[in-house]
Structure formats: C-alpha cells, structure tokens
Amino acid sequence: MAATPISAEELEELKEAFAKIDVDGNGFISKDELNELFRAANLALPGYKVREIVQELTKTSDRLTFEEFTEMVHGLKSTEVAKTFRKAINKKEGICTLAGTSEQSGTQHSYSEEEKVAFVNWINKALEKDPDCKHVLPMDPNNNDLFTAMGDGIVLCKMINLSVPDTIDERTINKKKLTPFTIQENLNLALNSASAIGCHVVNIGAEDLKEGRQHLILGLLWQVIKIGLFADIELSRNEALIALLRDGESLEDLMKLSPEELLLRWANYHLEEAGCGKINNFSSDIKDSKAYYNILNQVAPKGDDEGVPAIVVDMSGIREKEDLKRAECMLDQADKLGCRQFVMPADVVRGNPKLNLAFVANLFNKYPALKKPENQDIDWSSIEGETREERTFRNWMNSLGVNPRVNHLYADIDDALVIFQLYEKIKVPVDWDRVNKPPYSKLGSNMKKLENCNYAVELGKKEAKFSLVGIAGQDLNAGNRTLTLALLWQLMRRYTLNILEDLGDGQKVIDDTIVSWVNGTLTEAGKGTISSFKDMSISSSMPVLDLIDAIQPGSIRYDLLKTEDLTEEEKLNNAKYAISMARKIGARVYALPEDLVEVKPKMVMTVFACLMARGMRRA
C-alpha cells in the first residue's frame, strides 16, 4: 500500500523535529544523535531491536539527511514505534500538547514550556525600558501572557528591530487607540518584515498571532531572536574570530562555517585554553555543566583592560555531586557576567539544544574573549561583508524555507540543492533522481556537487527559459559572484512575476505590464506617474508612497515627509517609511530603502510588483 503523501503542515513539523535532533545544526542527524533519541523514547523494544533500527537507518551512511528522516518517520507513522519516536522528539524539551488538533492533517500541536519561559524573560529584559510596550510588559513566564502580548503586533515589531536594527520604521507602527484594523496593519508589518530579514513565515498569518497560536508564535519568535543572536557571529562583522583558525586551514574554510559551527569552535577554543576536553554539541556534552564552568572562567574579564573590572568566577560548584545543583551553581556564576539568559538548570541538565545554543550565543556576544592575531599573514581585504543585493537574495531564499538555511550566499549553494528547491517554488519540475544528495564522500565530493550545478544550469536554460549566456555549472560551484547573482535574480524575478500571473488568471506579465498598472493606478488617484523603473523621481520614494496611498487611500501621512529639495538623509528617511508602509498594507517587499534612494531598477521592479499584487488582491 502506498504511503499517504506528507502534508505541508506535517512537513513543517518534521522540519522542527529534525532541528531539535540535529543539535549541531549541520543539516544531518548523526548515528549518536539517533541513538540518543531512541534512548530518550523509552521504547517498549529490547536494546538489540533499537540497534537494528538505527543500523538499518544508517546502513549507507553514518548520517541521515532531512529527506531520509522524513521517509523514516513517515514510514514508521502507523506503528507503535512512530508514536514513541515522536514522543521522544518532544521529550527532548518539556512539551505541552495543545487541546485540539489541526483540521488539515489531524496533527496535534505542541509547544515547549521551557522555550516560552526563556523567550518571556529575554523579551522582558530587552524591552523593559520601551514606553510603547508598557501595556503588556513585564509578562509573567508562568502563564500565557506571551501569547496575548503578541496579539497587537507591537512587541513583535520591536523584537524584529532589536535583531536587525532599522528594519521597521517606527513611524509606521500603530501604537495608540488600537482597533481591529490597525492591529491587522501591525501584524502585516511584523510578518512581512520578519520575512524580509529571512524568517520562514509561509505558514503563519495575522490570524494566528491574533489568536495566540502557541507553537507558531514560539517558532517565529525563535527565528527572530536567533537572527539577532547570530548577527555578529560572522567573520566580516567580528575579525577577532580569526583566532579560531586552525593549522592548515585557509581563511576561506573559516568563512564557510555556519554561526552554530563557529560557536562550537569558539567554545572548544576556550576549553582547550583551559586544558579541558572538547565538546561536540550543545546538548548531551554540556549536561554536566563542567564545560560551561570552564568557558565562563576563561571568558570572564581578568581586569587587564582599562575600565573593565575583573569578575571572579567561583569554580567550587563544579565539584557538586548532583547535575542539577551543579547547573544551578554554574548559572549563578553566569549571572555575575550578566549572561544567565535562556536556560534554567533543568534545561542544561536535559541538554535542550535550542536554549543552550541561545545561552552560548549570548555569552559569546558579551564576552568573546578573542584577540585579533597580530602576526599572522592574513589577507584582510578578502574578508568583506555581504553586499545589500546578496543579503536581499539570502533573506528571500531563507524566508521561503529552503533547507539547509543559507548563511553564506556562495558557499551554501555550491551543491545547487537550494537552487533546486527554488526551481520548485517557481514551478520548474526537478528530477530528484538526477540530484546527488549529501553527505558526499570525501573523495569526489566536488564532482558530485559540480554535477548538480551543471543540472541546475541546464534546468535554467531548458525548462525555466532563463537567459544564462556564459554561465556554466562550474561558476555556481566555484561561487562566481556575478554569474551566480545573475541566476538568483532571474529566480527571484520569476517568483515575483508568477504571483502576479496567478492573480491575473495566468496572463503573462513583463516590466511594461507593471509600469502601466502603476501609472494607471496613480493617474486614477490624481498623482504623478513614472517613465520606467529607472525614473530618477523614484529616488525621493514619492512614486512608491503615492502608489501605497492610491491602493489604500489615507494611509500615508504626508506631514511626516519632505517632498522637495531633499538631502540624501531625507531621501533615506522617506525610503524607510515607504518600505515599511508597503509591508504594513500587506506587500511582502524584500528590497531595502537604499535600493529606492539609489534607484536600483531590479529591486525597484520588485517593490512595484509586490504593490501591484497587493492592489490586485484589493480590487
């Protein structure tokens, strides 16, 4: 009998489950992680049977990919093993099952009580001085305050700006005398802005936030918080990370590491300095708190730097016999450094992967305790941060939920797996039998990746009918910037136009179609028009603001804007307001304010296309 297809909702749940087990966040589940999961499950199976199952699952490799994991859980679904297996995933955190099940898939939803407590404490601290949040803060971690507080969108908007400053123009947040309509606008603004910073929000709507759907709210909050925590764990933002370079490694190798991998390496760097053994994860290896004790002792200020007083870490608690008591003593020491957030003693002892990762990231951000090497022969010019265009593409891809997540634009798509997922998003069929999937063997791994890249270019030329003159698989694989961006732009453009074509009953849309709709809408509202996406009047953002006001009359506060003889700063001010207002009326805009000020035709096109889609939905 054929297995029933997996619903989108179930797939989303499996992704969450996979992330819980995939402690080191490398996109695979190792044999050890699987063993641990079965152990936690308390399965009514003899040990040899569990070993057989694990052996069967890891027959071809020591690691499971997300696809294999999905097949496995789906295959086990009807059996008793499946139920206990799922329970085990949930047991990895203190999970609360919600009353009722999803109508679409019959899936019962659950959420982690520990996560709720951790996020409440983090938000209370982060926004304690913000007058706009006084009506809901501080929240009580012991009840459901968090889910009610998210209902008007203000706290979520503020948290997004904390993670990626300036994402939302404060002038666009409705703060006083809220009505159902102005609350809806805030929630649109929050969700579309979350998407623009790379959160996967495909299955979350304003209604879910209004109704306080716990598992969806916690999932979204974790993405927002994590983006903020990881912002500086990146070589171009923090050059002292070069101290983590190992013998025989190139700068390029270090730049390819994900924030999770860099954090693990940072922890091991300090453990090595302390003469201790290394850890392989932030779950099973930190349960006894001993690694944490040694890291805290290493990174605590020693009083060597002027103006920074020494903080003495009391190590006596490391000798406590009970894990829970030892964890408590360790967190008391972390508190001295102002770094107690995210974990309770029980979260350490249980090895909650998500919250321990957040705890370590926060510790790194406050006390990296790394010195930029003076004498190493390093080409500093090769450490450049991503461009605005690169960041926009990366955030767009991540917001669509590609797996694995893209941290570094070129290195993370060198096997084209993410590209294939994007092809499917634009309705270009992919023959997955032709695709080589990780883990790749050490020998010949690049050949496998190259074969994928060749197939990706072939699909672009033959199936998607993209213009890919002079682009070969080798260019994708080697991370040729110009040529990779050319392919990504065509994917993003097609994705945007597909939305318009779906709304317009399949009629073909080209740039002129959008310009003519924009001008028709502006003329009807008695406002000025544009000649093309290169029209320099766009630099003031007035055509975008006028179009928003034409789609939703009275929405733009022209008294907040300067419209003539603008300085560069005033132009940027208008652009920030325009981008946030577009998101507020429901347009999922990925472009950045600077794209309008500099009149970047490609990104300008996407702004107008998203507004056209919004206008067509309202019509």
Side-chain angles (χ1 to χ4, degrees), residues 530-593:
I530 59 168
S531 55
S532 71
F533 299 134
K534 293 178 180 167
D535 190 322
M536 286 318 288
S537 69
I538 293 166
S539 170
S540 70
S541 295
M542 289 318 294
V544 177
L545 290 158
D546 285 342
L547 182 61
I548 293 167
D549 202 63
I551 293 168
Q552 190 172 305
S555 59
I556 296 299
R557 287 193 51 195
Y558 286 97
D559 58 314
L560 298 176
L561 305 166
K562 179 138 187 244
T563 54
E564 284 164 10
D565 303 325
L566 284 86
T567 63
E568 287 306 302
E569 194 180 337
E570 287 163 341
K571 284 181 182 177
L572 190 60
N573 238 347
N574 283 1
K576 284 176 181 175
Y577 183 67
I579 295 287
S580 283
M581 281 306 299
R583 291 172 184 155
K584 183 175 173 176
I585 68 160
R588 188 149 285 179
V589 171
Y590 289 92
L592 296 163

Side-chain angles (χ1 to χ4, degrees), residues 23 264 267-268 271 278-293 295 323 326-327 330 343 345-353 355-357 359-360:
V23 170
L264 194 57
N268 283 325
L271 286 171
K278 62 181 233 175
I279 57 172
N280 296 308
N281 55 56
F282 295 123
S283 57
S284 53
D285 288 6
I286 51 82
K287 288 178 174 182
D288 64 5
S289 299
K290 290 178 179 174
Y292 281 165
Y293 251 119
I295 294 167
D323 283 354
R326 194 181 313 112
M330 180 276 293
V343 288
D347 302 323
V348 177
V349 174
R350 283 195 195 123
N352 180 315
L355 297 181
N356 278 286
L357 180 67
F359 170 73
V360 175

